[in-house]
Amino acid sequence: MYLETVANMSNRHEFASRVDTDNIVSQNLMEKLGFQPYGLSEFLMVV
């Protein structure tokens, strides 16, 4: 509901989210909200 409200107010219908690679619970939540995996972010990679 929140994303729908923001989309309608801003006229934007694509959003991005960063989720830690080992945070399966958040990954499942993002999938449930309709997000799709886009790849790995260098920001989250630990060397």
Side-chain angles (χ1 to χ4, degrees):
M1 183 188 283
Y2 172 76
L3 290 177
E4 287 178 17
T5 301
V6 172
N8 291 332
M9 291 175 66
S10 66
N11 201 28
R12 298 187 78 149
H13 299 281
E14 291 186 16
F15 299 92
S17 174
R18 288 188 177 166
V19 176
D20 202 9
T21 55
D22 63 347
N23 191 340
I24 304 303
V25 174
S26 289
Q27 290 176 26
N28 290 338
L29 174 62
M30 292 296 111
E31 185 177 336
K32 200 173 193 178
L33 292 173
F35 284 75
Q36 297 177 349
Y38 186 69
L40 295 174
S41 171
E42 291 180 24
F43 176 76
L44 297 175
M45 291 184 178
V46 179
V47 179

PDB file of all heavy atoms in Angstrom, residues 3 15-31 33 35-45:
ATOM      1  N   LEU A   3       3.970   1.623  -1.226  1.00  0.00           N
ATOM      2  CA  LEU A   3       4.588   1.831  -2.541  1.00  0.00           C
ATOM      3  C   LEU A   3       3.562   2.302  -3.569  1.00  0.00           C
ATOM      4  O   LEU A   3       3.881   3.111  -4.439  1.00  0.00           O
ATOM      5  CB  LEU A   3       5.281   0.560  -3.024  1.00  0.00           C
ATOM      6  CG  LEU A   3       6.542   0.173  -2.265  1.00  0.00           C
ATOM      7  CD1 LEU A   3       7.101  -1.137  -2.794  1.00  0.00           C
ATOM      8  CD2 LEU A   3       7.586   1.265  -2.334  1.00  0.00           C
ATOM      9  N   PHE A  15      10.882   0.999  -8.530  1.00  0.00           N
ATOM     10  CA  PHE A  15      11.634   1.274  -7.313  1.00  0.00           C
ATOM     11  C   PHE A  15      12.766   0.271  -7.203  1.00  0.00           C
ATOM     12  O   PHE A  15      12.689  -0.828  -7.733  1.00  0.00           O
ATOM     13  CB  PHE A  15      10.730   1.159  -6.080  1.00  0.00           C
ATOM     14  CG  PHE A  15       9.587   2.133  -6.092  1.00  0.00           C
ATOM     15  CD1 PHE A  15       8.364   1.788  -6.625  1.00  0.00           C
ATOM     16  CD2 PHE A  15       9.760   3.407  -5.585  1.00  0.00           C
ATOM     17  CE1 PHE A  15       7.306   2.686  -6.644  1.00  0.00           C
ATOM     18  CE2 PHE A  15       8.719   4.318  -5.598  1.00  0.00           C
ATOM     19  CZ  PHE A  15       7.491   3.954  -6.127  1.00  0.00           C
ATOM     20  N   ALA A  16      13.804   0.630  -6.494  1.00  0.00           N
ATOM     21  CA  ALA A  16      14.939  -0.255  -6.257  1.00  0.00           C
ATOM     22  C   ALA A  16      15.117  -0.436  -4.758  1.00  0.00           C
ATOM     23  O   ALA A  16      14.778   0.441  -3.972  1.00  0.00           O
ATOM     24  CB  ALA A  16      16.212   0.324  -6.867  1.00  0.00           C
ATOM     25  N   SER A  17      15.657  -1.567  -4.390  1.00  0.00           N
ATOM     26  CA  SER A  17      15.898  -1.863  -2.986  1.00  0.00           C
ATOM     27  C   SER A  17      17.185  -2.664  -2.879  1.00  0.00           C
ATOM     28  O   SER A  17      17.464  -3.514  -3.733  1.00  0.00           O
ATOM     29  CB  SER A  17      14.729  -2.676  -2.430  1.00  0.00           C
ATOM     30  OG  SER A  17      15.003  -3.087  -1.123  1.00  0.00           O
ATOM     31  N   ARG A  18      17.954  -2.396  -1.854  1.00  0.00           N
ATOM     32  CA  ARG A  18      19.162  -3.190  -1.600  1.00  0.00           C
ATOM     33  C   ARG A  18      18.916  -4.087  -0.405  1.00  0.00           C
ATOM     34  O   ARG A  18      18.450  -3.639   0.629  1.00  0.00           O
ATOM     35  CB  ARG A  18      20.357  -2.285  -1.305  1.00  0.00           C
ATOM     36  CG  ARG A  18      20.856  -1.574  -2.512  1.00  0.00           C
ATOM     37  CD  ARG A  18      22.137  -0.852  -2.200  1.00  0.00           C
ATOM     38  NE  ARG A  18      22.636  -0.237  -3.412  1.00  0.00           N
ATOM     39  CZ  ARG A  18      23.574   0.662  -3.446  1.00  0.00           C
ATOM     40  NH1 ARG A  18      24.140   1.076  -2.319  1.00  0.00           N
ATOM     41  NH2 ARG A  18      23.982   1.167  -4.584  1.00  0.00           N
ATOM     42  N   VAL A  19      19.251  -5.353  -0.584  1.00  0.00           N
ATOM     43  CA  VAL A  19      19.083  -6.339   0.478  1.00  0.00           C
ATOM     44  C   VAL A  19      20.378  -7.124   0.587  1.00  0.00           C
ATOM     45  O   VAL A  19      20.935  -7.559  -0.422  1.00  0.00           O
ATOM     46  CB  VAL A  19      17.899  -7.294   0.162  1.00  0.00           C
ATOM     47  CG1 VAL A  19      17.789  -8.360   1.223  1.00  0.00           C
ATOM     48  CG2 VAL A  19      16.602  -6.517   0.041  1.00  0.00           C
ATOM     49  N   ASP A  20      20.846  -7.307   1.799  1.00  0.00           N
ATOM     50  CA  ASP A  20      22.072  -8.069   2.032  1.00  0.00           C
ATOM     51  C   ASP A  20      21.912  -9.489   1.493  1.00  0.00           C
ATOM     52  O   ASP A  20      20.834 -10.088   1.583  1.00  0.00           O
ATOM     53  CB  ASP A  20      22.371  -8.112   3.531  1.00  0.00           C
ATOM     54  CG  ASP A  20      23.822  -8.394   3.841  1.00  0.00           C
ATOM     55  OD1 ASP A  20      24.653  -8.390   2.901  1.00  0.00           O
ATOM     56  OD2 ASP A  20      24.147  -8.603   5.025  1.00  0.00           O
ATOM     57  N   THR A  21      22.959 -10.017   0.906  1.00  0.00           N
ATOM     58  CA  THR A  21      22.875 -11.314   0.232  1.00  0.00           C
ATOM     59  C   THR A  21      22.519 -12.466   1.174  1.00  0.00           C
ATOM     60  O   THR A  21      21.953 -13.453   0.737  1.00  0.00           O
ATOM     61  CB  THR A  21      24.194 -11.651  -0.492  1.00  0.00           C
ATOM     62  OG1 THR A  21      25.266 -11.584   0.456  1.00  0.00           O
ATOM     63  CG2 THR A  21      24.452 -10.692  -1.625  1.00  0.00           C
ATOM     64  N   ASP A  22      22.824 -12.334   2.453  1.00  0.00           N
ATOM     65  CA  ASP A  22      22.493 -13.425   3.374  1.00  0.00           C
ATOM     66  C   ASP A  22      21.205 -13.154   4.159  1.00  0.00           C
ATOM     67  O   ASP A  22      20.845 -13.914   5.045  1.00  0.00           O
ATOM     68  CB  ASP A  22      23.653 -13.715   4.326  1.00  0.00           C
ATOM     69  CG  ASP A  22      23.995 -12.549   5.237  1.00  0.00           C
ATOM     70  OD1 ASP A  22      23.512 -11.429   4.975  1.00  0.00           O
ATOM     71  OD2 ASP A  22      24.745 -12.758   6.210  1.00  0.00           O
ATOM     72  N   ASN A  23      20.483 -12.097   3.824  1.00  0.00           N
ATOM     73  CA  ASN A  23      19.240 -11.766   4.507  1.00  0.00           C
ATOM     74  C   ASN A  23      18.055 -12.340   3.716  1.00  0.00           C
ATOM     75  O   ASN A  23      17.358 -11.637   2.993  1.00  0.00           O
ATOM     76  CB  ASN A  23      19.112 -10.253   4.664  1.00  0.00           C
ATOM     77  CG  ASN A  23      17.993  -9.869   5.592  1.00  0.00           C
ATOM     78  OD1 ASN A  23      17.082 -10.642   5.842  1.00  0.00           O
ATOM     79  ND2 ASN A  23      18.048  -8.649   6.088  1.00  0.00           N
ATOM     80  N   ILE A  24      17.841 -13.625   3.896  1.00  0.00           N
ATOM     81  CA  ILE A  24      16.819 -14.348   3.143  1.00  0.00           C
ATOM     82  C   ILE A  24      15.420 -13.822   3.470  1.00  0.00           C
ATOM     83  O   ILE A  24      14.564 -13.723   2.582  1.00  0.00           O
ATOM     84  CB  ILE A  24      16.902 -15.869   3.433  1.00  0.00           C
ATOM     85  CG1 ILE A  24      18.307 -16.403   3.125  1.00  0.00           C
ATOM     86  CG2 ILE A  24      15.847 -16.637   2.652  1.00  0.00           C
ATOM     87  CD1 ILE A  24      18.773 -16.159   1.707  1.00  0.00           C
ATOM     88  N   VAL A  25      15.167 -13.466   4.720  1.00  0.00           N
ATOM     89  CA  VAL A  25      13.847 -12.967   5.116  1.00  0.00           C
ATOM     90  C   VAL A  25      13.506 -11.696   4.338  1.00  0.00           C
ATOM     91  O   VAL A  25      12.401 -11.563   3.792  1.00  0.00           O
ATOM     92  CB  VAL A  25      13.780 -12.719   6.637  1.00  0.00           C
ATOM     93  CG1 VAL A  25      12.472 -12.063   7.026  1.00  0.00           C
ATOM     94  CG2 VAL A  25      13.964 -14.030   7.401  1.00  0.00           C
ATOM     95  N   SER A  26      14.450 -10.761   4.244  1.00  0.00           N
ATOM     96  CA  SER A  26      14.204  -9.526   3.496  1.00  0.00           C
ATOM     97  C   SER A  26      14.073  -9.795   2.007  1.00  0.00           C
ATOM     98  O   SER A  26      13.260  -9.167   1.322  1.00  0.00           O
ATOM     99  CB  SER A  26      15.335  -8.514   3.735  1.00  0.00           C
ATOM    100  OG  SER A  26      15.248  -8.015   5.050  1.00  0.00           O
ATOM    101  N   GLN A  27      14.847 -10.725   1.485  1.00  0.00           N
ATOM    102  CA  GLN A  27      14.734 -11.091   0.074  1.00  0.00           C
ATOM    103  C   GLN A  27      13.338 -11.632  -0.218  1.00  0.00           C
ATOM    104  O   GLN A  27      12.716 -11.271  -1.228  1.00  0.00           O
ATOM    105  CB  GLN A  27      15.787 -12.138  -0.300  1.00  0.00           C
ATOM    106  CG  GLN A  27      17.190 -11.598  -0.311  1.00  0.00           C
ATOM    107  CD  GLN A  27      18.208 -12.691  -0.592  1.00  0.00           C
ATOM    108  OE1 GLN A  27      17.902 -13.701  -1.218  1.00  0.00           O
ATOM    109  NE2 GLN A  27      19.426 -12.497  -0.119  1.00  0.00           N
ATOM    110  N   ASN A  28      12.834 -12.476   0.676  1.00  0.00           N
ATOM    111  CA  ASN A  28      11.485 -13.029   0.490  1.00  0.00           C
ATOM    112  C   ASN A  28      10.427 -11.929   0.571  1.00  0.00           C
ATOM    113  O   ASN A  28       9.466 -11.945  -0.194  1.00  0.00           O
ATOM    114  CB  ASN A  28      11.208 -14.115   1.530  1.00  0.00           C
ATOM    115  CG  ASN A  28      12.009 -15.368   1.291  1.00  0.00           C
ATOM    116  OD1 ASN A  28      12.471 -15.621   0.180  1.00  0.00           O
ATOM    117  ND2 ASN A  28      12.208 -16.158   2.336  1.00  0.00           N
ATOM    118  N   LEU A  29      10.601 -10.977   1.468  1.00  0.00           N
ATOM    119  CA  LEU A  29       9.664  -9.865   1.585  1.00  0.00           C
ATOM    120  C   LEU A  29       9.661  -9.032   0.301  1.00  0.00           C
ATOM    121  O   LEU A  29       8.596  -8.691  -0.221  1.00  0.00           O
ATOM    122  CB  LEU A  29      10.009  -8.977   2.777  1.00  0.00           C
ATOM    123  CG  LEU A  29       9.174  -7.704   2.917  1.00  0.00           C
ATOM    124  CD1 LEU A  29       7.704  -8.041   3.112  1.00  0.00           C
ATOM    125  CD2 LEU A  29       9.700  -6.849   4.048  1.00  0.00           C
ATOM    126  N   MET A  30      10.841  -8.713  -0.216  1.00  0.00           N
ATOM    127  CA  MET A  30      10.922  -7.928  -1.448  1.00  0.00           C
ATOM    128  C   MET A  30      10.240  -8.656  -2.601  1.00  0.00           C
ATOM    129  O   MET A  30       9.515  -8.056  -3.392  1.00  0.00           O
ATOM    130  CB  MET A  30      12.381  -7.625  -1.805  1.00  0.00           C
ATOM    131  CG  MET A  30      13.089  -6.692  -0.851  1.00  0.00           C
ATOM    132  SD  MET A  30      12.371  -5.053  -0.830  1.00  0.00           S
ATOM    133  CE  MET A  30      11.652  -5.028   0.801  1.00  0.00           C
ATOM    134  N   GLU A  31      10.438  -9.969  -2.675  1.00  0.00           N
ATOM    135  CA  GLU A  31       9.790 -10.763  -3.724  1.00  0.00           C
ATOM    136  C   GLU A  31       8.265 -10.714  -3.559  1.00  0.00           C
ATOM    137  O   GLU A  31       7.528 -10.563  -4.534  1.00  0.00           O
ATOM    138  CB  GLU A  31      10.280 -12.205  -3.667  1.00  0.00           C
ATOM    139  CG  GLU A  31       9.745 -13.062  -4.782  1.00  0.00           C
ATOM    140  CD  GLU A  31      10.303 -14.478  -4.753  1.00  0.00           C
ATOM    141  OE1 GLU A  31      11.403 -14.688  -4.197  1.00  0.00           O
ATOM    142  OE2 GLU A  31       9.627 -15.368  -5.294  1.00  0.00           O
ATOM    143  N   LEU A  33       6.570  -8.347  -2.315  1.00  0.00           N
ATOM    144  CA  LEU A  33       6.124  -7.005  -2.682  1.00  0.00           C
ATOM    145  C   LEU A  33       6.212  -6.748  -4.182  1.00  0.00           C
ATOM    146  O   LEU A  33       5.832  -5.693  -4.660  1.00  0.00           O
ATOM    147  CB  LEU A  33       6.950  -5.951  -1.937  1.00  0.00           C
ATOM    148  CG  LEU A  33       6.726  -5.881  -0.429  1.00  0.00           C
ATOM    149  CD1 LEU A  33       7.720  -4.928   0.208  1.00  0.00           C
ATOM    150  CD2 LEU A  33       5.297  -5.487  -0.101  1.00  0.00           C
ATOM    151  N   PHE A  35       9.166  -7.053  -6.059  1.00  0.00           N
ATOM    152  CA  PHE A  35      10.506  -6.726  -6.537  1.00  0.00           C
ATOM    153  C   PHE A  35      11.105  -7.947  -7.218  1.00  0.00           C
ATOM    154  O   PHE A  35      10.770  -9.079  -6.895  1.00  0.00           O
ATOM    155  CB  PHE A  35      11.404  -6.309  -5.370  1.00  0.00           C
ATOM    156  CG  PHE A  35      11.144  -4.920  -4.854  1.00  0.00           C
ATOM    157  CD1 PHE A  35      10.043  -4.639  -4.072  1.00  0.00           C
ATOM    158  CD2 PHE A  35      12.022  -3.885  -5.155  1.00  0.00           C
ATOM    159  CE1 PHE A  35       9.802  -3.369  -3.597  1.00  0.00           C
ATOM    160  CE2 PHE A  35      11.792  -2.607  -4.689  1.00  0.00           C
ATOM    161  CZ  PHE A  35      10.677  -2.342  -3.906  1.00  0.00           C
ATOM    162  N   GLN A  36      12.004  -7.709  -8.155  1.00  0.00           N
ATOM    163  CA  GLN A  36      12.689  -8.790  -8.852  1.00  0.00           C
ATOM    164  C   GLN A  36      14.186  -8.593  -8.691  1.00  0.00           C
ATOM    165  O   GLN A  36      14.670  -7.459  -8.731  1.00  0.00           O
ATOM    166  CB  GLN A  36      12.332  -8.784 -10.333  1.00  0.00           C
ATOM    167  CG  GLN A  36      10.873  -9.024 -10.591  1.00  0.00           C
ATOM    168  CD  GLN A  36      10.541  -8.936 -12.064  1.00  0.00           C
ATOM    169  OE1 GLN A  36      11.342  -8.497 -12.874  1.00  0.00           O
ATOM    170  NE2 GLN A  36       9.346  -9.353 -12.417  1.00  0.00           N
ATOM    171  N   PRO A  37      14.937  -9.686  -8.522  1.00  0.00           N
ATOM    172  CA  PRO A  37      16.391  -9.562  -8.398  1.00  0.00           C
ATOM    173  C   PRO A  37      16.987  -8.911  -9.643  1.00  0.00           C
ATOM    174  O   PRO A  37      16.568  -9.189 -10.767  1.00  0.00           O
ATOM    175  CB  PRO A  37      16.872 -11.008  -8.279  1.00  0.00           C
ATOM    176  CG  PRO A  37      15.673 -11.791  -7.894  1.00  0.00           C
ATOM    177  CD  PRO A  37      14.491 -11.065  -8.438  1.00  0.00           C
ATOM    178  N   TYR A  38      17.955  -8.034  -9.417  1.00  0.00           N
ATOM    179  CA  TYR A  38      18.575  -7.309 -10.525  1.00  0.00           C
ATOM    180  C   TYR A  38      20.065  -7.567 -10.602  1.00  0.00           C
ATOM    181  O   TYR A  38      20.715  -7.188 -11.534  1.00  0.00           O
ATOM    182  CB  TYR A  38      18.295  -5.809 -10.359  1.00  0.00           C
ATOM    183  CG  TYR A  38      18.754  -4.976 -11.526  1.00  0.00           C
ATOM    184  CD1 TYR A  38      18.120  -5.052 -12.756  1.00  0.00           C
ATOM    185  CD2 TYR A  38      19.840  -4.124 -11.399  1.00  0.00           C
ATOM    186  CE1 TYR A  38      18.541  -4.293 -13.823  1.00  0.00           C
ATOM    187  CE2 TYR A  38      20.271  -3.353 -12.466  1.00  0.00           C
ATOM    188  CZ  TYR A  38      19.623  -3.440 -13.670  1.00  0.00           C
ATOM    189  OH  TYR A  38      20.038  -2.697 -14.732  1.00  0.00           O
ATOM    190  N   GLY A  39      20.632  -8.191  -9.595  1.00  0.00           N
ATOM    191  CA  GLY A  39      22.064  -8.456  -9.580  1.00  0.00           C
ATOM    192  C   GLY A  39      22.655  -8.117  -8.232  1.00  0.00           C
ATOM    193  O   GLY A  39      21.954  -7.770  -7.293  1.00  0.00           O
ATOM    194  N   LEU A  40      23.960  -8.208  -8.144  1.00  0.00           N
ATOM    195  CA  LEU A  40      24.658  -7.904  -6.903  1.00  0.00           C
ATOM    196  C   LEU A  40      25.234  -6.497  -6.953  1.00  0.00           C
ATOM    197  O   LEU A  40      25.777  -6.075  -7.959  1.00  0.00           O
ATOM    198  CB  LEU A  40      25.791  -8.904  -6.662  1.00  0.00           C
ATOM    199  CG  LEU A  40      25.354 -10.343  -6.427  1.00  0.00           C
ATOM    200  CD1 LEU A  40      26.588 -11.238  -6.347  1.00  0.00           C
ATOM    201  CD2 LEU A  40      24.526 -10.456  -5.178  1.00  0.00           C
ATOM    202  N   SER A  41      25.146  -5.810  -5.838  1.00  0.00           N
ATOM    203  CA  SER A  41      25.688  -4.472  -5.737  1.00  0.00           C
ATOM    204  C   SER A  41      27.091  -4.539  -5.144  1.00  0.00           C
ATOM    205  O   SER A  41      27.329  -5.252  -4.176  1.00  0.00           O
ATOM    206  CB  SER A  41      24.790  -3.615  -4.825  1.00  0.00           C
ATOM    207  OG  SER A  41      25.404  -2.390  -4.540  1.00  0.00           O
ATOM    208  N   GLU A  42      28.008  -3.804  -5.719  1.00  0.00           N
ATOM    209  CA  GLU A  42      29.362  -3.751  -5.164  1.00  0.00           C
ATOM    210  C   GLU A  42      29.347  -3.171  -3.763  1.00  0.00           C
ATOM    211  O   GLU A  42      30.202  -3.454  -2.950  1.00  0.00           O
ATOM    212  CB  GLU A  42      30.256  -2.912  -6.061  1.00  0.00           C
ATOM    213  CG  GLU A  42      30.547  -3.545  -7.404  1.00  0.00           C
ATOM    214  CD  GLU A  42      31.432  -2.685  -8.274  1.00  0.00           C
ATOM    215  OE1 GLU A  42      32.175  -1.851  -7.721  1.00  0.00           O
ATOM    216  OE2 GLU A  42      31.373  -2.851  -9.501  1.00  0.00           O
ATOM    217  N   PHE A  43      28.352  -2.343  -3.469  1.00  0.00           N
ATOM    218  CA  PHE A  43      28.211  -1.737  -2.149  1.00  0.00           C
ATOM    219  C   PHE A  43      28.104  -2.798  -1.062  1.00  0.00           C
ATOM    220  O   PHE A  43      28.588  -2.615   0.037  1.00  0.00           O
ATOM    221  CB  PHE A  43      26.948  -0.854  -2.141  1.00  0.00           C
ATOM    222  CG  PHE A  43      26.635  -0.252  -0.816  1.00  0.00           C
ATOM    223  CD1 PHE A  43      27.357   0.826  -0.332  1.00  0.00           C
ATOM    224  CD2 PHE A  43      25.589  -0.743  -0.053  1.00  0.00           C
ATOM    225  CE1 PHE A  43      27.071   1.395   0.897  1.00  0.00           C
ATOM    226  CE2 PHE A  43      25.288  -0.185   1.170  1.00  0.00           C
ATOM    227  CZ  PHE A  43      26.019   0.881   1.641  1.00  0.00           C
ATOM    228  N   LEU A  44      27.500  -3.936  -1.372  1.00  0.00           N
ATOM    229  CA  LEU A  44      27.279  -4.969  -0.366  1.00  0.00           C
ATOM    230  C   LEU A  44      28.341  -6.041  -0.338  1.00  0.00           C
ATOM    231  O   LEU A  44      28.334  -6.895   0.525  1.00  0.00           O
ATOM    232  CB  LEU A  44      25.900  -5.630  -0.605  1.00  0.00           C
ATOM    233  CG  LEU A  44      24.712  -4.697  -0.454  1.00  0.00           C
ATOM    234  CD1 LEU A  44      23.430  -5.433  -0.839  1.00  0.00           C
ATOM    235  CD2 LEU A  44      24.593  -4.192   0.972  1.00  0.00           C
ATOM    236  N   MET A  45      29.266  -5.988  -1.280  1.00  0.00           N
ATOM    237  CA  MET A  45      30.295  -7.037  -1.339  1.00  0.00           C
ATOM    238  C   MET A  45      31.421  -6.713  -0.346  1.00  0.00           C
ATOM    239  O   MET A  45      31.928  -5.611  -0.306  1.00  0.00           O
ATOM    240  CB  MET A  45      30.855  -7.147  -2.750  1.00  0.00           C
ATOM    241  CG  MET A  45      29.857  -7.687  -3.723  1.00  0.00           C
ATOM    242  SD  MET A  45      30.638  -7.898  -5.327  1.00  0.00           S
ATOM    243  CE  MET A  45      29.297  -8.591  -6.227  1.00  0.00           C
TER     244      MET A  45
END
